[in-house]
Amino acid sequence: MKIQEEYLHYIWKFQYFDKQNLTTCQGEKLIILSPGISNDHAGPDFLNAHVILNDISWHGHIELHVEASAWQAHKHHLDPAYENVILHVVWDNDKTIQHKDNTILPTLSLKNRTSPTLLQQYQELIQVPRTIPCENQIHQVADIVKTSMLDKALFQRLTNKNSLVYQLLANNQGDWEETAYQLLAYNFGFKINSAAMLELSLTLPLKIIKKHRNQPLQLEALLLGQAGLLTTNNKEIPDSYRASLVQEYTYLSHKYQLNTAKLSKIHWKFFRLRPANFPTIRISQLAQILHQQEHLLDWLIHTRPEILRNELCIIQSSYWQQHYTFEKSSTRKVPGLGVSSIENIFINTVVPLLVAYGKSHDQSSYIDGAIALLQSLPPEHNNITHKWKKLGMQVENAFDSQALIELFNNFCTQKKCLNCNIGITLLKAPLTSK
Ligand code: SF4
């Protein structure tokens, strides 16, 4: 059976191997006092371990490889970050590894020291052709373990979402207001047009928006024009509203020299979208928010959720209440921002901003506010949460659904069961009963 490095990592981390009369491949007596701290970043796999080799105490790092020869294949012998490795932990010791000074790197092989049952159970778990490999066993796991895993998954999800906030913040030289605007624009793309909406906000700085905040027509002209959605072919005769937008945009784009960065129609997706989600409608709704709210960051992170919810009940301009596109009018009134879209903005804009702002300013009250907000919002209903519900997992609020989506997407489908508290608990059973 082919061993994965992830499995080696797991047995080293939890020390699930026979430690009696431990010796290195070079014959040195080995005692492990601390396996070190797992390192998710560049450098050795475990940091600050403590071992005794032939009665001499060593503090340093541990590097793991399925085959010892990977040390050279990965060019660790040339990397100063690996100079303080005190023990090489391998499955197969297929090559003797030397430090720069030609001394041999002490190596421990775990091949004959681990439980075949444990390995077999691990292989069986991850080889199951299901999107949630443990679905037949998860009911054996205590609720407290599942809860702790959901906390971990949610934390990871918030960290991932925060990375976009920090990236924007860095691009904006620490300007939180500009960052809040760009993140809100990104959110108004509702996934399918998010990249284009973000691009649009990047080409249309908030300082220009602010100068025209009190003129909704100019705001729409700037946003729709910059999005490339005002262009017409020669045969089209624009209606009067479109003609006014074109006139405004022609003047403003020239004034601010915006034309070079403008997007075009090919950046936008209309196909398979509900008409209420068309970018034309979403851009008009965003324009309404920019018209109504002068201080976006303050509004998003300091307004009480029940008030914010009301203020987010945005209705687009009257033209876009009767049209889906410039070419297509609607027989029924086009609705404003709906309940699920508002909840989506809470989850994907307000929560990441609260967490990022709280972390940056070292104020945990913002992070507590973000968690409380997620717990107060209803859960998302989609294929993933539906699957978990069928397995008996509680999906009572957005905290649960966000955590379960993360668990599914970034642990289960990637077979990262050894990084999951549920998987670790399931695999621990045969060893403890031995
Ligand atoms: S990652 Fe965790 S929850 Fe998902 S299948 Fe593996 S053990 Fe189960």
Side-chain angles (χ1 to χ4, degrees):
M1 258 186 271
K2 180 117 176 67
I3 296 292
Q4 278 112 343
E5 196 156 306
E6 194 180 28
Y7 182 73
L8 197 58
H9 198 279
Y10 161 73
I11 53 178
W12 175 258
K13 179 173 179 180
F14 294 102
Q15 300 281 284
Y16 286 164
F17 53 90
D18 179 7
K19 284 193 272 185
Q20 280 186 16
N21 302 323
L22 210 53
T23 53
T24 64
C25 301
Q26 293 74 33
E28 298 149 302
K29 202 170 97 190
L30 171 67
I31 298 170
I32 301 158
L33 296 178
S34 163
I37 299 158
S38 175
N39 175 26
D40 295 333
H41 306 287
D45 292 311
F46 286 81
L47 304 178
N48 305 322
H50 184 192
V51 303
I52 297 179
L53 280 164
N54 279 351
D55 300 327
I56 299 174
S57 177
W58 293 84
H59 291 267
H61 310 320
I62 308 284
E63 179 64 5
L64 271 61
H65 288 119
V66 175
E67 284 159 346
S69 53
W71 178 276
Q72 273 170 329
H74 296 171
K75 303 205 179 336
H76 294 334
H77 57 297
L78 305 175
D79 186 343
Y82 291 81
E83 278 171 14
N84 200 19
V85 168
I86 53 173
L87 186 67
H88 194 197
V89 177
V90 302
W91 189 258
D92 252 334
N93 185 32
D94 63 337
K95 185 173 176 63
T96 300
I97 301 298
Q98 293 181 324
H99 279 300
K100 251 190 194 158
D101 61 3
N102 293 334
T103 55
I104 291 175
L105 177 61
T107 303
L108 170 67
S109 167
L110 295 180
K111 191 175 183 173
N112 298 316
R113 289 188 169 269
T114 59
S115 155
T117 319
L118 184 65
L119 178 56
Q120 193 185 341
Q121 288 214 342
Y122 166 63
Q123 300 277 6
E124 281 171 8
L125 179 62
I126 63 158
Q127 278 164 11
V128 171
R130 294 190 191 108
T131 48
I132 303 178
C134 73
E135 68 175 42
N136 289 337
Q137 295 138 284
I138 197 165
H139 64 276
Q140 301 165 17
V141 177
D143 285 347
I144 191 166
V145 175
K146 293 177 192 162
T147 307
S148 73
M149 187 55 209
L150 292 188
D151 287 350
K152 178 173 161 179
L154 186 81
F155 180 75
Q156 181 169 306
R157 189 159 185 84
L158 292 178
T159 306
N160 291 344
K161 286 191 175 176
N162 273 357
S163 61
L164 175 61
V165 183
Y166 290 130
Q167 207 181 316
L168 295 175
L169 193 62
N171 285 348
N172 298 325
Q173 276 93 39
D175 184 338
W176 280 96
E177 192 66 7
E178 188 84 35
T179 301
Y181 156 62
Q182 292 166 355
L183 193 68
L184 189 64
Y186 177 78
N187 205 158
F188 263 83
F190 292 95
K191 261 195 187 159
I192 200 105
N193 282 304
S194 288
M197 285 297 280
L198 177 59
E199 189 65 30
L200 170 60
S201 67
L202 293 172
T203 71
L204 190 56
L206 192 57
K207 66 173 191 284
I208 297 179
I209 295 275
K210 287 204 165 181
K211 284 189 186 156
H212 301 274
R213 225 197 97 228
N214 294 325
Q215 300 294 331
L217 181 75
Q218 291 183 340
L219 281 184
E220 260 190 29
L222 278 167
L223 286 160
L224 287 167
Q226 201 57 14
L229 294 172
L230 288 181
T231 46
T232 52
N233 62 38
N234 291 336
K235 289 182 202 147
E236 283 177 280
I237 302 168
D239 58 33
S240 61
Y241 185 69
R242 189 181 193 177
S244 318
L245 291 172
V246 170
Q247 192 183 359
E248 291 289 350
Y249 181 67
T250 307
Y251 167 71
L252 293 170
S253 61
H254 179 70
K255 179 176 178 186
Y256 298 114
Q257 301 189 331
L258 293 171
N259 253 322
T260 48
K262 123 179 181 190
L263 282 77
S264 67
K265 280 184 182 165
I266 56 162
H267 287 91
W268 302 97
K269 295 189 181 69
F270 286 81
F271 187 56
R272 292 215 179 121
L273 282 183
R274 284 183 304 113
N277 205 15
F278 278 4
T280 39
I281 309 290
R282 295 309 192 193
I283 286 175
S284 177
Q285 291 166 348
L286 179 63
Q288 286 298 316
I289 289 184
L290 297 170
H291 167 56
Q292 289 172 18
Q293 303 302 331
E294 188 173 2
H295 303 292
L296 282 178
L297 178 78
D298 187 47
W299 175 61
L300 289 166
I301 69 172
H302 291 136
T303 309
R304 289 223 316 271
E306 58 279 16
I307 295 175
L308 187 56
R309 183 184 281 274
N310 281 338
E311 291 179 348
L312 275 167
C313 289
I314 291 292
I315 297 176
Q316 59 278 14
S317 62
S318 56
Y319 182 87
W320 295 110
Q321 290 173 40
Q322 283 133 28
H323 293 78
Y324 290 121
T325 64
F326 285 112
E327 297 81 22
K328 205 168 160 188
S329 60
S330 168
T331 46
R332 282 186 303 172
K333 189 174 172 191
V334 182
L337 203 60
V339 174
S340 65
S341 301
I342 292 173
E343 281 156 4
N344 188 303
I345 289 169
F346 271 110
I347 293 172
N348 293 308
T349 299
V350 180
V351 166
L353 275 176
L354 281 168
V355 175
Y357 190 84
K359 280 189 177 173
S360 296
H361 292 79
D362 204 14
Q363 288 189 34
S364 59
S365 58
Y366 287 95
I367 298 161
D368 296 344
I371 302 289
L373 184 55
L374 284 176
Q375 285 168 335
S376 73
L377 292 168
E380 292 115 303
H381 297 288
N382 53 34
N383 285 346
I384 298 175
T385 54
H386 187 62
K387 267 182 207 290
W388 285 117
K389 251 189 167 169
K390 274 176 51 183
L391 294 179
M393 297 292 269
Q394 281 192 353
V395 195
E396 286 180 355
N397 52 46
F399 180 105
D400 296 339
S401 56
Q402 283 285 294
L404 288 166
I405 291 168
E406 182 72 18
L407 180 58
F408 182 85
N409 285 340
N410 290 322
F411 289 85
C412 307
T413 56
Q414 297 186 30
K415 315 257 184 204
K416 287 192 182 165
C417 301
L418 294 178
N419 293 326
C420 167
N421 300 3
I422 296 166
I424 288 167
T425 304
L426 285 170
L427 289 171
K428 218 165 21 181
L431 269 192
T432 44
S433 61
K434 234 184 129 187

